[in-house]
Every structure is written in structure tokens, then in C-alpha cells.
Amino acid sequence: MIVMGFEGSANKIGVGIVKEDGSILANVRHTYITPPGTGFLPKETALHHQQHILPLVKEALAVAKLTPQEIDCLAFTKGPGMGAPLRSVAVVVRTLSQLWNKPIVGVNHCVAHIEMGRLVTGAKDPVVLYVSGGNTQVIAYSMRRYRIFGETIDIAVGNCLDRFARVLNLSNDPSPGYNIEQEAKKGTQYVEMPYVVKGMDVSFSGILTHVEATTTDKIQKGECTPADMCFSLQETLFAMLVEITERAMAHCGQKEVLVVGGVGCNERLQQMIAQMVGQRDGNVFAMDDRYCIDNGAMIAWTGLIMYKHGHRTPISDTWCTQRYLSISFVSYLYFILRTNELTYSMFIILRYRTDEVEVTWRD
């Protein structure tokens, strides 16, 4: 069986092709890069995806040396992610499904990161640290669900890093987080920052507000360098992530940790996690940017194993969901939106958490 996967939940548009034995036949992508000091907006990101998706489809088929007739199924990111880019990709998948007469499987973006990590690294039953520009979660599998043991209660760790890069006017090429990582290697002084862990959850918005308000003044006064601030921010954020990951390991009795998501490429984060896991006589699994960063192969692989276990997405259900919500925010929405019809509509548009997916392909 061969599946083509489409990923377009943020600023990367990717197309991957995967075989049933786990072989990755193609994994091509293109990144929307904006000028230094800026982020990427949904409308412009969607336009970027629209311009590049069909050339990527042709490129993936050429790399895999396949024809459309040899593709058995199409998988796409159903959410969470940015609405306009997600919809742009979904439209193409619907069209190709009808032109090529292929079934569709909608995939949860977060679950796809986990399954790709398990495929590439060989991790069996790990605690998962999922860290990216849009998500921060500590996850473990139990009873056919990827259970969220801890998460951010506001912004994601990658979003915090990206927005700090704007303060320093760092390049977005290849990514702001990567450039912060390189600057941090030059840092020699640790600058004290807020450290916010609430039980199993973390908060990054206050730290971001603090560095946005103080960084320029500290640098101008000569109290530290931009590299010192990058180093200090990384050390603080990653220490928080290591703490809640270790607590999840202890709670679940696990000896493995799998790091996934775009921020999971960060070598300093991998080093800190490895040090903690080593002290617990465990094993850490991580990937490079080919598979940590959003890519089409992870959607193709997850779609393939879902398809084999009976999952199908009728074309009428190929709508997208923008983001996952924390439990506390879901409860708040339910309290505020008392009208049943409105509540239902809001949940359909917004909510698609990692732990909502029934993982029928694992024991």
C-alpha cells in the first residue's frame, strides 16, 4: 500500500509518499519565509501554499518514481493549525481525490508527529515531549488515546522563541528558532528570567512579556549581549520542559522519552532531555529537521496506518479545525457559550486535541 500525505498547517507546505513497510519514498516541502522582525499571517501563508502545492505533488511523484494510479490513498492534515492554509490544502486533496478516484484520510497533526517519531526512531512506548510553534504537550499512550499529562496554558514554546527573535530582528531563514539556537551558543552569561511551572503545566506568555520589555534596555546598558539573552531564554524554557517531562516519566513508570515537533530539532533541548533521562537509566529518542519539522511524510504514514485500521474520511467531512484547546479553556468556552447550537459550532471549528483521536492501531 502507498499513501500520499499533505501537510500545510503552518508556514510549511509538504507532500510525502510512504509505503506500508515504512519506507519513505518522497518527502518534499517548501517554507514560507517572511522578513526579519515579522511573522506569517494566514492569508499570505495560504497563498504561498496554493502557489507551491501542485509543483510539490509533481516533485514527490517524480522522486518516488510513481504515477497517480499507483497511489492508494490521500492523507491530509485536518488540524490543528492555521485555518486558511489548512483549507487551501484540503481543497487540493478533495480535487485530487475526485480526479484520481482515491479515498481520503484526515489526520490529526499532533498524532502524526508522534507516529512519525515512533517510525523513524524505533521508540516503543515513550513519554512524548511535543514542542513546536503551535503546540507544547507532554503525552503518554494509555487505553487507545494519547493522553496529555501536561501542556502550555497559554502560548507554545516555539511561539515564544519566534516572537523573541523579532525583538532581536533575527532572520526567519531557515527559522527564527534555529537562529536563536545559534546565537545562544555564543552566550556566556545567564540572565535571570521568570520560571513558570504549574503542576504539570507550563506558561510562557509572562516570560515573553518580560523579555520583550527588558531586552533592549539591558543590551543598550551593556548588562548583557543578544547572545546572552538567547542563551538565558533557551535555558529557562527548556528547564521547564525537562521538569514536566521527568514528572510524567515518574508518573507513568516509563524509561523512554521521544522528542517531536519543530523545537525538538534544538540540540540544546535534546542534550538537556538526554541528561535527565540518563539519570533515570532511560533512553531518549529524537530526530533531525527532516522529520521533526512539519512534513508530508508524517501525514502519509499516519494516514496509512489509520487507513489499514478502517479509518476513512468522506469528502463531506474533509473540513479543517484550526487549533487544539487546553482543558481549562474548553471548560470556559462551554460555560460562556450556553446556546447549544453556538457551542457545537465553536467546538467543530476550534477543537481537535491530541487526546480526542482514538488510536485503534495500537494495543
Side-chain angles (χ1 to χ4, degrees), residues 131 156-162 164 190 193-195 197 202-205 207-208 230-243 263 269 272:
V131 280
V157 62
N159 184 244
C160 182
L161 291 167
D162 291 351
F164 179 64
Y190 179 77
M193 293 185 180
Y195 184 97
V197 174
V202 289
S203 171
F204 300 120
S205 61
I207 302 171
L208 177 62
C230 290
F231 166 75
S232 302
L233 182 62
Q234 270 199 173
E235 292 296 304
T236 304
L237 299 179
F238 295 169
M240 293 163 56
L241 296 173
V242 170
E243 178 183 337
V263 181
L269 174 60
M272 293 173 69

PDB file of all heavy atoms in Angstrom, residues 131 156-162 164 190 193-195 197 202-205 207-208 230-243 263 269 272:
ATOM      1  N   VAL A 131       6.930  19.618  21.096  1.00  0.00           N
ATOM      2  CA  VAL A 131       7.221  21.051  21.213  1.00  0.00           C
ATOM      3  C   VAL A 131       7.359  21.666  19.817  1.00  0.00           C
ATOM      4  O   VAL A 131       8.163  21.221  19.010  1.00  0.00           O
ATOM      5  CB  VAL A 131       8.505  21.290  22.029  1.00  0.00           C
ATOM      6  CG1 VAL A 131       8.229  21.182  23.514  1.00  0.00           C
ATOM      7  CG2 VAL A 131       9.627  20.311  21.654  1.00  0.00           C
ATOM      8  N   ALA A 156       2.622  28.487  22.868  1.00  0.00           N
ATOM      9  CA  ALA A 156       3.555  27.373  22.710  1.00  0.00           C
ATOM     10  C   ALA A 156       4.988  27.857  22.871  1.00  0.00           C
ATOM     11  O   ALA A 156       5.295  29.046  22.662  1.00  0.00           O
ATOM     12  CB  ALA A 156       3.366  26.742  21.335  1.00  0.00           C
ATOM     13  N   VAL A 157       5.894  26.927  23.195  1.00  0.00           N
ATOM     14  CA  VAL A 157       7.293  27.296  23.395  1.00  0.00           C
ATOM     15  C   VAL A 157       7.908  27.836  22.104  1.00  0.00           C
ATOM     16  O   VAL A 157       8.704  28.786  22.131  1.00  0.00           O
ATOM     17  CB  VAL A 157       8.106  26.092  23.933  1.00  0.00           C
ATOM     18  CG1 VAL A 157       8.119  24.931  22.945  1.00  0.00           C
ATOM     19  CG2 VAL A 157       9.518  26.508  24.284  1.00  0.00           C
ATOM     20  N   GLY A 158       7.540  27.262  20.965  1.00  0.00           N
ATOM     21  CA  GLY A 158       8.067  27.748  19.697  1.00  0.00           C
ATOM     22  C   GLY A 158       7.599  29.145  19.368  1.00  0.00           C
ATOM     23  O   GLY A 158       8.346  29.961  18.801  1.00  0.00           O
ATOM     24  N   ASN A 159       6.359  29.456  19.737  1.00  0.00           N
ATOM     25  CA  ASN A 159       5.833  30.795  19.520  1.00  0.00           C
ATOM     26  C   ASN A 159       6.578  31.813  20.382  1.00  0.00           C
ATOM     27  O   ASN A 159       6.870  32.932  19.936  1.00  0.00           O
ATOM     28  CB  ASN A 159       4.344  30.825  19.826  1.00  0.00           C
ATOM     29  CG  ASN A 159       3.695  32.163  19.523  1.00  0.00           C
ATOM     30  OD1 ASN A 159       3.205  32.841  20.421  1.00  0.00           O
ATOM     31  ND2 ASN A 159       3.695  32.550  18.258  1.00  0.00           N
ATOM     32  N   CYS A 160       6.911  31.418  21.591  1.00  0.00           N
ATOM     33  CA  CYS A 160       7.682  32.283  22.478  1.00  0.00           C
ATOM     34  C   CYS A 160       9.047  32.593  21.872  1.00  0.00           C
ATOM     35  O   CYS A 160       9.489  33.747  21.839  1.00  0.00           O
ATOM     36  CB  CYS A 160       7.837  31.610  23.842  1.00  0.00           C
ATOM     37  SG  CYS A 160       8.729  32.601  25.063  1.00  0.00           S
ATOM     38  N   LEU A 161       9.725  31.575  21.366  1.00  0.00           N
ATOM     39  CA  LEU A 161      11.031  31.766  20.747  1.00  0.00           C
ATOM     40  C   LEU A 161      10.933  32.615  19.482  1.00  0.00           C
ATOM     41  O   LEU A 161      11.746  33.519  19.256  1.00  0.00           O
ATOM     42  CB  LEU A 161      11.659  30.409  20.425  1.00  0.00           C
ATOM     43  CG  LEU A 161      12.095  29.561  21.628  1.00  0.00           C
ATOM     44  CD1 LEU A 161      12.399  28.132  21.199  1.00  0.00           C
ATOM     45  CD2 LEU A 161      13.293  30.184  22.324  1.00  0.00           C
ATOM     46  N   ASP A 162       9.939  32.316  18.657  1.00  0.00           N
ATOM     47  CA  ASP A 162       9.777  33.056  17.402  1.00  0.00           C
ATOM     48  C   ASP A 162       9.544  34.538  17.654  1.00  0.00           C
ATOM     49  O   ASP A 162      10.119  35.404  16.967  1.00  0.00           O
ATOM     50  CB  ASP A 162       8.603  32.484  16.603  1.00  0.00           C
ATOM     51  CG  ASP A 162       8.883  31.090  16.056  1.00  0.00           C
ATOM     52  OD1 ASP A 162      10.038  30.637  16.157  1.00  0.00           O
ATOM     53  OD2 ASP A 162       7.940  30.455  15.539  1.00  0.00           O
ATOM     54  N   PHE A 164      10.396  36.237  20.316  1.00  0.00           N
ATOM     55  CA  PHE A 164      11.599  36.866  20.855  1.00  0.00           C
ATOM     56  C   PHE A 164      12.598  37.168  19.740  1.00  0.00           C
ATOM     57  O   PHE A 164      13.330  38.169  19.799  1.00  0.00           O
ATOM     58  CB  PHE A 164      12.246  35.970  21.908  1.00  0.00           C
ATOM     59  CG  PHE A 164      13.512  36.546  22.483  1.00  0.00           C
ATOM     60  CD1 PHE A 164      13.476  37.727  23.212  1.00  0.00           C
ATOM     61  CD2 PHE A 164      14.733  35.932  22.279  1.00  0.00           C
ATOM     62  CE1 PHE A 164      14.638  38.283  23.735  1.00  0.00           C
ATOM     63  CE2 PHE A 164      15.890  36.475  22.801  1.00  0.00           C
ATOM     64  CZ  PHE A 164      15.850  37.650  23.525  1.00  0.00           C
ATOM     65  N   TYR A 190      24.251  34.019  32.160  1.00  0.00           N
ATOM     66  CA  TYR A 190      22.840  33.707  32.355  1.00  0.00           C
ATOM     67  C   TYR A 190      22.135  34.902  32.986  1.00  0.00           C
ATOM     68  O   TYR A 190      22.562  35.423  34.018  1.00  0.00           O
ATOM     69  CB  TYR A 190      22.650  32.477  33.243  1.00  0.00           C
ATOM     70  CG  TYR A 190      21.196  32.153  33.482  1.00  0.00           C
ATOM     71  CD1 TYR A 190      20.436  31.528  32.504  1.00  0.00           C
ATOM     72  CD2 TYR A 190      20.571  32.515  34.677  1.00  0.00           C
ATOM     73  CE1 TYR A 190      19.096  31.245  32.709  1.00  0.00           C
ATOM     74  CE2 TYR A 190      19.225  32.233  34.891  1.00  0.00           C
ATOM     75  CZ  TYR A 190      18.493  31.600  33.896  1.00  0.00           C
ATOM     76  OH  TYR A 190      17.168  31.339  34.093  1.00  0.00           O
ATOM     77  N   MET A 193      15.401  34.986  34.636  1.00  0.00           N
ATOM     78  CA  MET A 193      14.106  35.159  33.977  1.00  0.00           C
ATOM     79  C   MET A 193      13.021  34.449  34.779  1.00  0.00           C
ATOM     80  O   MET A 193      13.318  33.537  35.559  1.00  0.00           O
ATOM     81  CB  MET A 193      14.146  34.596  32.550  1.00  0.00           C
ATOM     82  CG  MET A 193      15.053  35.348  31.614  1.00  0.00           C
ATOM     83  SD  MET A 193      14.928  34.724  29.919  1.00  0.00           S
ATOM     84  CE  MET A 193      16.093  35.820  29.103  1.00  0.00           C
ATOM     85  N   PRO A 194      11.751  34.812  34.570  1.00  0.00           N
ATOM     86  CA  PRO A 194      10.654  34.104  35.248  1.00  0.00           C
ATOM     87  C   PRO A 194      10.647  32.633  34.861  1.00  0.00           C
ATOM     88  O   PRO A 194      10.958  32.274  33.721  1.00  0.00           O
ATOM     89  CB  PRO A 194       9.396  34.814  34.729  1.00  0.00           C
ATOM     90  CG  PRO A 194       9.866  36.152  34.277  1.00  0.00           C
ATOM     91  CD  PRO A 194      11.255  35.954  33.768  1.00  0.00           C
ATOM     92  N   TYR A 195      10.286  31.796  35.825  1.00  0.00           N
ATOM     93  CA  TYR A 195      10.225  30.349  35.618  1.00  0.00           C
ATOM     94  C   TYR A 195       8.846  29.902  36.097  1.00  0.00           C
ATOM     95  O   TYR A 195       8.564  29.945  37.291  1.00  0.00           O
ATOM     96  CB  TYR A 195      11.334  29.676  36.437  1.00  0.00           C
ATOM     97  CG  TYR A 195      11.467  28.182  36.272  1.00  0.00           C
ATOM     98  CD1 TYR A 195      12.403  27.639  35.404  1.00  0.00           C
ATOM     99  CD2 TYR A 195      10.669  27.309  37.010  1.00  0.00           C
ATOM    100  CE1 TYR A 195      12.556  26.262  35.276  1.00  0.00           C
ATOM    101  CE2 TYR A 195      10.799  25.936  36.884  1.00  0.00           C
ATOM    102  CZ  TYR A 195      11.747  25.415  36.019  1.00  0.00           C
ATOM    103  OH  TYR A 195      11.881  24.054  35.892  1.00  0.00           O
ATOM    104  N   VAL A 197       6.147  27.000  36.186  1.00  0.00           N
ATOM    105  CA  VAL A 197       5.606  25.650  36.083  1.00  0.00           C
ATOM    106  C   VAL A 197       4.468  25.534  37.087  1.00  0.00           C
ATOM    107  O   VAL A 197       4.642  25.833  38.270  1.00  0.00           O
ATOM    108  CB  VAL A 197       6.679  24.581  36.384  1.00  0.00           C
ATOM    109  CG1 VAL A 197       6.053  23.198  36.411  1.00  0.00           C
ATOM    110  CG2 VAL A 197       7.791  24.638  35.338  1.00  0.00           C
ATOM    111  N   VAL A 202       2.819  24.387  31.958  1.00  0.00           N
ATOM    112  CA  VAL A 202       3.795  25.470  31.874  1.00  0.00           C
ATOM    113  C   VAL A 202       3.129  26.710  31.286  1.00  0.00           C
ATOM    114  O   VAL A 202       2.095  26.616  30.618  1.00  0.00           O
ATOM    115  CB  VAL A 202       5.006  25.066  31.003  1.00  0.00           C
ATOM    116  CG1 VAL A 202       5.859  24.030  31.706  1.00  0.00           C
ATOM    117  CG2 VAL A 202       4.559  24.555  29.634  1.00  0.00           C
ATOM    118  N   SER A 203       3.752  27.858  31.534  1.00  0.00           N
ATOM    119  CA  SER A 203       3.253  29.118  30.994  1.00  0.00           C
ATOM    120  C   SER A 203       4.429  29.895  30.419  1.00  0.00           C
ATOM    121  O   SER A 203       5.452  30.074  31.086  1.00  0.00           O
ATOM    122  CB  SER A 203       2.568  29.936  32.092  1.00  0.00           C
ATOM    123  OG  SER A 203       2.257  31.236  31.626  1.00  0.00           O
ATOM    124  N   PHE A 204       4.278  30.356  29.185  1.00  0.00           N
ATOM    125  CA  PHE A 204       5.356  31.072  28.512  1.00  0.00           C
ATOM    126  C   PHE A 204       5.036  32.534  28.226  1.00  0.00           C
ATOM    127  O   PHE A 204       5.929  33.307  27.880  1.00  0.00           O
ATOM    128  CB  PHE A 204       5.695  30.382  27.184  1.00  0.00           C
ATOM    129  CG  PHE A 204       6.138  28.953  27.334  1.00  0.00           C
ATOM    130  CD1 PHE A 204       5.432  27.930  26.721  1.00  0.00           C
ATOM    131  CD2 PHE A 204       7.258  28.632  28.081  1.00  0.00           C
ATOM    132  CE1 PHE A 204       5.833  26.610  26.846  1.00  0.00           C
ATOM    133  CE2 PHE A 204       7.673  27.315  28.224  1.00  0.00           C
ATOM    134  CZ  PHE A 204       6.956  26.302  27.599  1.00  0.00           C
ATOM    135  N   SER A 205       3.776  32.933  28.346  1.00  0.00           N
ATOM    136  CA  SER A 205       3.408  34.300  27.964  1.00  0.00           C
ATOM    137  C   SER A 205       4.056  35.344  28.869  1.00  0.00           C
ATOM    138  O   SER A 205       4.474  36.408  28.395  1.00  0.00           O
ATOM    139  CB  SER A 205       1.885  34.458  27.968  1.00  0.00           C
ATOM    140  OG  SER A 205       1.361  34.212  29.255  1.00  0.00           O
ATOM    141  N   ILE A 207       6.932  35.073  30.496  1.00  0.00           N
ATOM    142  CA  ILE A 207       8.357  35.138  30.168  1.00  0.00           C
ATOM    143  C   ILE A 207       8.557  35.979  28.915  1.00  0.00           C
ATOM    144  O   ILE A 207       9.466  36.817  28.846  1.00  0.00           O
ATOM    145  CB  ILE A 207       8.922  33.721  29.950  1.00  0.00           C
ATOM    146  CG1 ILE A 207       8.709  32.860  31.192  1.00  0.00           C
ATOM    147  CG2 ILE A 207      10.399  33.774  29.575  1.00  0.00           C
ATOM    148  CD1 ILE A 207       9.040  31.408  30.982  1.00  0.00           C
ATOM    149  N   LEU A 208       7.689  35.762  27.922  1.00  0.00           N
ATOM    150  CA  LEU A 208       7.794  36.543  26.680  1.00  0.00           C
ATOM    151  C   LEU A 208       7.599  38.023  26.961  1.00  0.00           C
ATOM    152  O   LEU A 208       8.358  38.869  26.468  1.00  0.00           O
ATOM    153  CB  LEU A 208       6.756  36.042  25.667  1.00  0.00           C
ATOM    154  CG  LEU A 208       6.701  36.825  24.351  1.00  0.00           C
ATOM    155  CD1 LEU A 208       8.024  36.727  23.601  1.00  0.00           C
ATOM    156  CD2 LEU A 208       5.549  36.324  23.479  1.00  0.00           C
ATOM    157  N   CYS A 230      19.546  35.117  24.330  1.00  0.00           N
ATOM    158  CA  CYS A 230      19.109  33.891  23.656  1.00  0.00           C
ATOM    159  C   CYS A 230      19.454  32.671  24.506  1.00  0.00           C
ATOM    160  O   CYS A 230      18.630  31.761  24.673  1.00  0.00           O
ATOM    161  CB  CYS A 230      19.776  33.781  22.286  1.00  0.00           C
ATOM    162  SG  CYS A 230      19.201  34.987  21.075  1.00  0.00           S
ATOM    163  N   PHE A 231      20.666  32.657  25.041  1.00  0.00           N
ATOM    164  CA  PHE A 231      21.105  31.562  25.900  1.00  0.00           C
ATOM    165  C   PHE A 231      20.214  31.442  27.136  1.00  0.00           C
ATOM    166  O   PHE A 231      19.755  30.346  27.490  1.00  0.00           O
ATOM    167  CB  PHE A 231      22.557  31.800  26.319  1.00  0.00           C
ATOM    168  CG  PHE A 231      23.034  30.934  27.447  1.00  0.00           C
ATOM    169  CD1 PHE A 231      23.327  29.593  27.242  1.00  0.00           C
ATOM    170  CD2 PHE A 231      23.177  31.457  28.727  1.00  0.00           C
ATOM    171  CE1 PHE A 231      23.757  28.788  28.295  1.00  0.00           C
ATOM    172  CE2 PHE A 231      23.607  30.665  29.780  1.00  0.00           C
ATOM    173  CZ  PHE A 231      23.899  29.329  29.556  1.00  0.00           C
ATOM    174  N   SER A 232      19.934  32.553  27.769  1.00  0.00           N
ATOM    175  CA  SER A 232      19.161  32.543  29.009  1.00  0.00           C
ATOM    176  C   SER A 232      17.720  32.122  28.771  1.00  0.00           C
ATOM    177  O   SER A 232      17.143  31.361  29.566  1.00  0.00           O
ATOM    178  CB  SER A 232      19.197  33.938  29.651  1.00  0.00           C
ATOM    179  OG  SER A 232      20.522  34.341  29.899  1.00  0.00           O
ATOM    180  N   LEU A 233      17.140  32.610  27.681  1.00  0.00           N
ATOM    181  CA  LEU A 233      15.758  32.237  27.369  1.00  0.00           C
ATOM    182  C   LEU A 233      15.665  30.740  27.090  1.00  0.00           C
ATOM    183  O   LEU A 233      14.780  30.059  27.609  1.00  0.00           O
ATOM    184  CB  LEU A 233      15.247  33.041  26.179  1.00  0.00           C
ATOM    185  CG  LEU A 233      13.796  32.777  25.771  1.00  0.00           C
ATOM    186  CD1 LEU A 233      12.837  33.134  26.903  1.00  0.00           C
ATOM    187  CD2 LEU A 233      13.425  33.544  24.501  1.00  0.00           C
ATOM    188  N   GLN A 234      16.574  30.234  26.273  1.00  0.00           N
ATOM    189  CA  GLN A 234      16.570  28.802  25.977  1.00  0.00           C
ATOM    190  C   GLN A 234      16.703  27.966  27.245  1.00  0.00           C
ATOM    191  O   GLN A 234      15.957  27.010  27.460  1.00  0.00           O
ATOM    192  CB  GLN A 234      17.726  28.450  25.038  1.00  0.00           C
ATOM    193  CG  GLN A 234      17.402  28.522  23.576  1.00  0.00           C
ATOM    194  CD  GLN A 234      18.391  27.744  22.719  1.00  0.00           C
ATOM    195  OE1 GLN A 234      18.173  27.621  21.529  1.00  0.00           O
ATOM    196  NE2 GLN A 234      19.457  27.218  23.271  1.00  0.00           N
ATOM    197  N   GLU A 235      17.673  28.310  28.086  1.00  0.00           N
ATOM    198  CA  GLU A 235      17.925  27.531  29.296  1.00  0.00           C
ATOM    199  C   GLU A 235      16.688  27.517  30.199  1.00  0.00           C
ATOM    200  O   GLU A 235      16.331  26.487  30.779  1.00  0.00           O
ATOM    201  CB  GLU A 235      19.121  28.100  30.056  1.00  0.00           C
ATOM    202  CG  GLU A 235      20.453  27.942  29.350  1.00  0.00           C
ATOM    203  CD  GLU A 235      20.856  26.490  29.175  1.00  0.00           C
ATOM    204  OE1 GLU A 235      20.933  25.763  30.185  1.00  0.00           O
ATOM    205  OE2 GLU A 235      21.078  26.083  28.014  1.00  0.00           O
ATOM    206  N   THR A 236      16.016  28.652  30.306  1.00  0.00           N
ATOM    207  CA  THR A 236      14.848  28.749  31.182  1.00  0.00           C
ATOM    208  C   THR A 236      13.673  27.943  30.627  1.00  0.00           C
ATOM    209  O   THR A 236      13.060  27.139  31.344  1.00  0.00           O
ATOM    210  CB  THR A 236      14.441  30.220  31.358  1.00  0.00           C
ATOM    211  OG1 THR A 236      15.558  30.966  31.865  1.00  0.00           O
ATOM    212  CG2 THR A 236      13.274  30.345  32.331  1.00  0.00           C
ATOM    213  N   LEU A 237      13.372  28.154  29.358  1.00  0.00           N
ATOM    214  CA  LEU A 237      12.244  27.454  28.748  1.00  0.00           C
ATOM    215  C   LEU A 237      12.462  25.947  28.752  1.00  0.00           C
ATOM    216  O   LEU A 237      11.561  25.164  29.084  1.00  0.00           O
ATOM    217  CB  LEU A 237      12.025  27.940  27.311  1.00  0.00           C
ATOM    218  CG  LEU A 237      11.685  29.411  27.100  1.00  0.00           C
ATOM    219  CD1 LEU A 237      11.530  29.701  25.609  1.00  0.00           C
ATOM    220  CD2 LEU A 237      10.434  29.802  27.851  1.00  0.00           C
ATOM    221  N   PHE A 238      13.656  25.532  28.398  1.00  0.00           N
ATOM    222  CA  PHE A 238      13.924  24.102  28.290  1.00  0.00           C
ATOM    223  C   PHE A 238      13.974  23.428  29.658  1.00  0.00           C
ATOM    224  O   PHE A 238      13.598  22.257  29.794  1.00  0.00           O
ATOM    225  CB  PHE A 238      15.220  23.865  27.517  1.00  0.00           C
ATOM    226  CG  PHE A 238      15.169  24.305  26.072  1.00  0.00           C
ATOM    227  CD1 PHE A 238      16.317  24.370  25.302  1.00  0.00           C
ATOM    228  CD2 PHE A 238      13.967  24.659  25.473  1.00  0.00           C
ATOM    229  CE1 PHE A 238      16.273  24.774  23.973  1.00  0.00           C
ATOM    230  CE2 PHE A 238      13.898  25.076  24.147  1.00  0.00           C
ATOM    231  CZ  PHE A 238      15.063  25.124  23.401  1.00  0.00           C
ATOM    232  N   ALA A 239      14.441  24.145  30.668  1.00  0.00           N
ATOM    233  CA  ALA A 239      14.434  23.581  32.023  1.00  0.00           C
ATOM    234  C   ALA A 239      13.006  23.287  32.477  1.00  0.00           C
ATOM    235  O   ALA A 239      12.739  22.265  33.131  1.00  0.00           O
ATOM    236  CB  ALA A 239      15.121  24.538  32.991  1.00  0.00           C
ATOM    237  N   MET A 240      12.082  24.179  32.132  1.00  0.00           N
ATOM    238  CA  MET A 240      10.677  23.962  32.466  1.00  0.00           C
ATOM    239  C   MET A 240      10.150  22.699  31.780  1.00  0.00           C
ATOM    240  O   MET A 240       9.443  21.883  32.388  1.00  0.00           O
ATOM    241  CB  MET A 240       9.853  25.182  32.050  1.00  0.00           C
ATOM    242  CG  MET A 240      10.168  26.438  32.850  1.00  0.00           C
ATOM    243  SD  MET A 240       9.579  27.953  32.044  1.00  0.00           S
ATOM    244  CE  MET A 240       7.855  27.617  31.839  1.00  0.00           C
ATOM    245  N   LEU A 241      10.514  22.528  30.512  1.00  0.00           N
ATOM    246  CA  LEU A 241      10.057  21.354  29.754  1.00  0.00           C
ATOM    247  C   LEU A 241      10.657  20.066  30.310  1.00  0.00           C
ATOM    248  O   LEU A 241       9.977  19.032  30.390  1.00  0.00           O
ATOM    249  CB  LEU A 241      10.425  21.517  28.280  1.00  0.00           C
ATOM    250  CG  LEU A 241       9.745  22.677  27.544  1.00  0.00           C
ATOM    251  CD1 LEU A 241      10.326  22.847  26.149  1.00  0.00           C
ATOM    252  CD2 LEU A 241       8.240  22.475  27.477  1.00  0.00           C
ATOM    253  N   VAL A 242      11.931  20.125  30.691  1.00  0.00           N
ATOM    254  CA  VAL A 242      12.578  18.944  31.271  1.00  0.00           C
ATOM    255  C   VAL A 242      11.889  18.554  32.577  1.00  0.00           C
ATOM    256  O   VAL A 242      11.662  17.368  32.853  1.00  0.00           O
ATOM    257  CB  VAL A 242      14.079  19.205  31.510  1.00  0.00           C
ATOM    258  CG1 VAL A 242      14.701  18.080  32.341  1.00  0.00           C
ATOM    259  CG2 VAL A 242      14.818  19.346  30.186  1.00  0.00           C
ATOM    260  N   GLU A 243      11.520  19.544  33.389  1.00  0.00           N
ATOM    261  CA  GLU A 243      10.882  19.264  34.676  1.00  0.00           C
ATOM    262  C   GLU A 243       9.568  18.509  34.507  1.00  0.00           C
ATOM    263  O   GLU A 243       9.337  17.479  35.160  1.00  0.00           O
ATOM    264  CB  GLU A 243      10.638  20.559  35.446  1.00  0.00           C
ATOM    265  CG  GLU A 243       9.929  20.335  36.777  1.00  0.00           C
ATOM    266  CD  GLU A 243       9.622  21.614  37.528  1.00  0.00           C
ATOM    267  OE1 GLU A 243      10.298  22.622  37.289  1.00  0.00           O
ATOM    268  OE2 GLU A 243       8.694  21.595  38.363  1.00  0.00           O
ATOM    269  N   VAL A 263      10.575  22.401  17.478  1.00  0.00           N
ATOM    270  CA  VAL A 263      11.544  22.793  18.506  1.00  0.00           C
ATOM    271  C   VAL A 263      12.368  21.581  18.952  1.00  0.00           C
ATOM    272  O   VAL A 263      13.461  21.727  19.495  1.00  0.00           O
ATOM    273  CB  VAL A 263      10.830  23.453  19.700  1.00  0.00           C
ATOM    274  CG1 VAL A 263      11.819  23.884  20.780  1.00  0.00           C
ATOM    275  CG2 VAL A 263      10.037  24.677  19.235  1.00  0.00           C
ATOM    276  N   LEU A 269      18.075  21.433  23.662  1.00  0.00           N
ATOM    277  CA  LEU A 269      16.938  20.763  24.293  1.00  0.00           C
ATOM    278  C   LEU A 269      17.176  19.261  24.334  1.00  0.00           C
ATOM    279  O   LEU A 269      16.943  18.608  25.360  1.00  0.00           O
ATOM    280  CB  LEU A 269      15.646  21.081  23.547  1.00  0.00           C
ATOM    281  CG  LEU A 269      14.398  20.336  24.027  1.00  0.00           C
ATOM    282  CD1 LEU A 269      14.102  20.645  25.487  1.00  0.00           C
ATOM    283  CD2 LEU A 269      13.190  20.677  23.157  1.00  0.00           C
ATOM    284  N   MET A 272      19.655  18.478  27.106  1.00  0.00           N
ATOM    285  CA  MET A 272      19.093  18.584  28.457  1.00  0.00           C
ATOM    286  C   MET A 272      18.164  17.407  28.771  1.00  0.00           C
ATOM    287  O   MET A 272      18.186  16.856  29.869  1.00  0.00           O
ATOM    288  CB  MET A 272      18.368  19.921  28.615  1.00  0.00           C
ATOM    289  CG  MET A 272      19.294  21.127  28.580  1.00  0.00           C
ATOM    290  SD  MET A 272      18.419  22.716  28.563  1.00  0.00           S
ATOM    291  CE  MET A 272      17.719  22.760  30.211  1.00  0.00           C
TER     292      MET A 272
END
